[in-house]
């Protein structure tokens, strides 16, 4: 289709009228520069009209926006956001709604650095009056997964294009000019143009559909006006998707799942669990979902796993679709947890939105915590309440042990700084401290306080102090015994980075213990200039008998150490941090460690499931930082030959993975591998290779873990099973049931590692042909397991080639997967160094690239490799900007690895040789 007459006109006008707009594209530094919008003009309501043109050679959107604004303080200009939008300044109109008169605009400035559009009217705008700002524009339907962007999929050999939005955090300004800050909420009336063969959806239901004049075959969908919402939560889509309605009786809110037509059969699981989780949250928060419908959309291309647009949530296909034949148990868990996460956002983030991005954790931490609660409601047998310990708490401990970590709440202004906050600290640490908060307040007070907070701040914005005030008031009302108010306790966890290691030193004669706290650091910098006092308000819990009620006390921020009397009999172990509720590690004196080890070897079930996981994770990491001889965690691991539960095994293997990473390129790897094989073999023998009917979710998870490691360690039965299953699949490629679905990733990886080009080519073709995104991700992982460096190099090249069949949002996974292959690690880092500019151009943000560097360099443990990292950072310091923190973390981790090799390499090897 040719360009529309209006588009031809506007492009021509812009081409000859650029002098009418002052463009500020260069500025001197950022020191003191205000990157926030002024508050003298605030939006009240938007009318947004968008007509996406989904035709090759013309991926654009014709747009119109009308914004009603309140003048809060008299001013001489209006400043709003705009980015990558073509407009004619002569088409900008300003009306005084009090007088009905047009206000002429004397100057238009586009500040491209700050992404500001600054309009100067001829007269002063007066406080207390309302104005209406309107303009036409053209935006680009980019393929960068941000703003209003284009995506595509294949249907019966035909490429289908669609337009969909991803506004978070600062990309609504790429879709239409707007006041693009979370605390500038407004009502939105959306109007989307589409072909009659397409459908559209947005935050609210369609109000009416009318033909587009002079545009045969096109119609307008006008949507109901929204409740007050932040710009980053505006959602919209124009596509040839279809939808299914959820079964009746699961929710009072109409629910639809949108997918490409060929994938609609995979939407059934989400259509059942989504309404149930929504109804559960309504009861949990005691607040009804306020919108008239809820759509959930499965996309091939999305920069996040899910995006919580109010009433129109978008997901990657892997996070929403489930195929009963080709999807695994882990795929099912991913769907239920991501759905529960995004639906939790409908309250935490959408109904009540953080005031500014520095409080992002209020959104993401709560959603990350509630995903376990909501998912557990619909899938109680998944053991999700326990899994938060290994998925979030123990995982984020690794990042938060770095001096280059950051507080949960941190000041940000630049869009790049904001992007950087979407990390484990905001999500996993946020969830971890909220879980801790829940436990010391009690479930009843916690929930009642949340309800009060949400009701007090609904349709508005909040800061952490609003939450602390609501919870403190509820704690007082319920007579909860707290040493100080909630704000005082929680500020020690949110306003400083890191976490404590609590050291328990027992006096076996008096039965007392000295308990001290200090910051747990992976590596302490003797030249640090950080003057922060790293102490916390710590809720201590402890027990010597898990069949009895736990004991508890508080360690105050002012107390580096306290004395606790009667912690337990002199011949009985004591364990602190019951069920790892507190966000801290625990170390003990040698005698207590020895009693714990003896108990585990004698009868490990006398210690709770979570605390077995905690002991493994804590001891291995405390030894890693030279605060405990490695003999203690290694002797503790010997009980694993009896352990059969998923949670402790995951903690153990996560800790032992670090040792594996340190040894894998050394002469000592054979002996270390032998010790790991001794531990893993009994578990593999117990779970076997194949699933059986009736296996529980966590038994399947345990089997996946055992098979993954058994094949990694080249245990013969595992390797031969994998190769045989894969060969049978190659002989019958259209049979989806030949390969056990839960082992497909390991089978593919093992067969390719032990095969050649035919095995690799087969997997790549299956990746291209697969209609199930979850299966595609497993195949993509398997492709990275090749032992041929040329093949791995080709895979990296193809990940940056949009014509290769590897989708843009899969590219980072390729680099991380190849970089985790011992053969591919150096190759991947070399590729990053030589193809830096190409990767910068391909990935949505520099922070994505910095995260790849961080992952690939995880096993760096030589001085030369540290220098390479430092050189990479120095070479691109100007480009990296705030994303440099991720490289700082890579360098810090690698330097600690170098120290570890010096201090502990021989120590661990000696112990293994003495304990064959």
């Amino acid at each position: 289709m040719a360009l529309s007459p209006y588009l031809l006109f506007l492009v021509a006008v812009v081409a000859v009228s650029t002098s009418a707009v002052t463009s500020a594209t260069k500025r001197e530094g950022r020191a003191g520069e205000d990157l926030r919008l002024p508050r003298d003009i605030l939006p009240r309501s938007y009318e947004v009209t968008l007509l996406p043109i989904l035709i090759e050679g013309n991926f654009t959107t014709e747009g119109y926006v009308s914004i009603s604004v309140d003048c809060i303080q008299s001013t001489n200009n209006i400043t709003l956001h705009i980015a990558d939008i073509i407009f004619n300044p002569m088409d900008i109109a300003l009306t005084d709604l009090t007088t009905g008169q047009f206000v002429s605009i004397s100057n238009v400035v586009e500040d491209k650095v700050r992404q500001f559009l600054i309009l100067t009217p001829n007269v002063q705008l007066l406080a207390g009056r309302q104005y209406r700002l309107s303009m036409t524009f053209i935006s680009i339907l980019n393929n960068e997964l941000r703003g209003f962007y284009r995506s595509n999929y294949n249907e019966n050999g035909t490429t289908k294009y669609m337009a969909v939005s991803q506004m978070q955090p600062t990309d609504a300004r790429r879709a239409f000019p707007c006041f693009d800050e979370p605390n500038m909420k407004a009502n939105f009336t959306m109007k989307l143009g589409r072909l009659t063969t397409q459908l559209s959806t947005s935050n609210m239901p369609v109000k009416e559909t009318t033909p587009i004049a002079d545009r045969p075959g096109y119609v307008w969908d006008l949507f109901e006006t929204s409740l007050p919402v932040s710009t980053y939560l505006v959602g919209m889509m124009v596509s040839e998707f279809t939808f299914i309605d959820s079964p009746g009786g699961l929710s009072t809110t109409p629910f639809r799942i949108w997918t490409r037509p060929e994938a609609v059969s995979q939407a059934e699981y989400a259509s059942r669990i989504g309404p149930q989780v929504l109804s559960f949250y309504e009861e949990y928060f005691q607040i009804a979902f306020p919108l008239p419908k809820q759509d959930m959309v499965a996309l091939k291309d999305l920069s996040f796993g899910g995006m919580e647009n109010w009433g129109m949530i978008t997901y990657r296909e892997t996070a929403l679709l489930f195929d009963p034949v080709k999807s695994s148990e882990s795929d099912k868990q991913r769907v239920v947890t991501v759905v529960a996460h995004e639906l939790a956002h409908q309250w935490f983030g959408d109904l009540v939105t953080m005031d500014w991005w520095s409080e992002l954790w209020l959104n993401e931490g709560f959603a990350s915590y509630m995903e376990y609660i909501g998912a557990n409601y619909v899938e109680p047998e998944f053991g999700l309440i326990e899994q938060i310990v290994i998925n979030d708490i123990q995982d984020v401990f690794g990042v938060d042990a770095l001096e280059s970590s950051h507080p949960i709440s941190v000041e940000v202004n630049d869009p790049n700084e904001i992007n950087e906050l979407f990390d484990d600290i905001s999500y996993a640490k946020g969830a971890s401290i909220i879980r801790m908060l829940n436990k010391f307040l009690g479930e009843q007070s916690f929930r009642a306080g949340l309800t009060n907070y949400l009701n007090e701040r609904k349709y508005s914005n909040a800061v952490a102090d609003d939450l602390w005030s609501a919870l403190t008031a509820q704690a007082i009302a319920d007579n909860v015994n707290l040493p100080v108010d909630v704000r005082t306790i929680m500020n020690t966890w949110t306003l400083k980075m890191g976490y404590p290691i609590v050291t328990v030193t027992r006096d076996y004669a008096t039965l007392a213990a000295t308990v001290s706290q200090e910051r747990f650091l992976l590596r302490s910098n003797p030249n640090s200039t950080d003057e922060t006092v790293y102490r916390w308000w710590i809720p201590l819990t402890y027990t010597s008998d898990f069949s009895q009620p736990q004991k508890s006390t508080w360690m105050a921020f002012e107390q580096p150490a306290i004395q606790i009397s009667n912690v337990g009999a002199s011949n009985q172990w004591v364990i602190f941090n019951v069920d790892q509720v507190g966000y801290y590690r625990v170390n003990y004196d040698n005698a207590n460690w020895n009693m714990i080890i003896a108990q585990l070897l004698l009868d490990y079930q006398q210690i709770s499931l979570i605390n077995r996981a905690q002991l493994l994770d804590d001891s291995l990491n405390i030894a890693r930082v030279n605060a405990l001889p490695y003999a203690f965690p290694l002797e503790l691991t010997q009980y694993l030959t009896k352990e059969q539960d998923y949670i402790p095994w995951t903690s153990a293997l996560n800790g032992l993975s670090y040792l594996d990473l340190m040894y894998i390129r050394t002469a000592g790897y054979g002996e270390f591998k032998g010790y790991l094989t001794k531990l893993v073999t009994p578990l593999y023998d117990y779970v076997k290779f194949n699933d059986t009917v009736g296996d529980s979710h966590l038994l399947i998870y345990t089997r996946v873990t055992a098979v993954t490691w058994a094949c990694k360690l080249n245990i013969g039965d595992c390797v031969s099973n994998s190769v045989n299953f894969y060969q049978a699949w190659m002989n019958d490629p259209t049979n989806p049931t030949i390969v056990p679905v839960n082992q497909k990733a390991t089978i593919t990886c093992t067969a390719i590692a032990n095969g050649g080009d035919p095995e690799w080519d087969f997997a790549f073709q299956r990746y291209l042909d697969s209609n199930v995104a979850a299966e595609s991700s497993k195949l993509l992982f398997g492709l990275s397991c090749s032992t041929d460096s040329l093949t791995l190099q080709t895979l990296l090249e193809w990940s940056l080639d949009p014509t290769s069949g590897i989708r843009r949002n899969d590219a980072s996974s390729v680099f991380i997967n190849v970089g985790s292959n011992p053969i591919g690690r150096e190759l991947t880092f070399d590729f990053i160094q030589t193809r830096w500019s190409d990767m910068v151009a391909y990935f949505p943000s520099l922070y994505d690239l910095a995260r790849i560097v961080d992952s690939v360099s995880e096993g760096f443990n030589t001085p030369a490799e540290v220098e390479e990292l430092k050189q990479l950072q120095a070479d691109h310091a100007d480009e990296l900007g705030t994303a440099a923190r991720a490289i700082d973390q890579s360098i810090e981790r690698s330097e600690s690895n170098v120290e570890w090799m010096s201090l502990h390499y021989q120590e661990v090897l000696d112990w293994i040789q003495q304990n064959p």
Side-chain angles (χ1 to χ4, degrees), residues 250 269-281 332-341 343 370-385:
L250 300 178
Y269 181 62
S271 77
R272 287 190 293 105
I273 62 166
Q276 293 180 73
V277 172
L278 190 78
S279 297
F280 170 75
Y281 285 152
K332 180 181 277 191
Q333 180 170 305
R334 174 167 167 75
V335 170
V336 71
T337 52
V338 178
V339 166
H341 180 104
L343 287 172
M370 287 305 303
E371 75 180 55
Y372 291 95
I373 309 301
N376 182 70
Y377 171 75
V378 291
E379 296 287 11
E381 73 278 9
F382 281 15
L384 288 161
I385 299 301

Side-chain angles (χ1 to χ4, degrees), residues 31 238 242 253 286 379 421 423 543 562 638 647 655 703 747 841:
V238 173
T242 187
T253 302
Q286 290 293 292
E379 296 287 11
L421 289 184
D423 65 358
T543 188
I562 61 171
Q638 292 188 98
I647 304 292
R703 180 177 295 113
I747 287 171

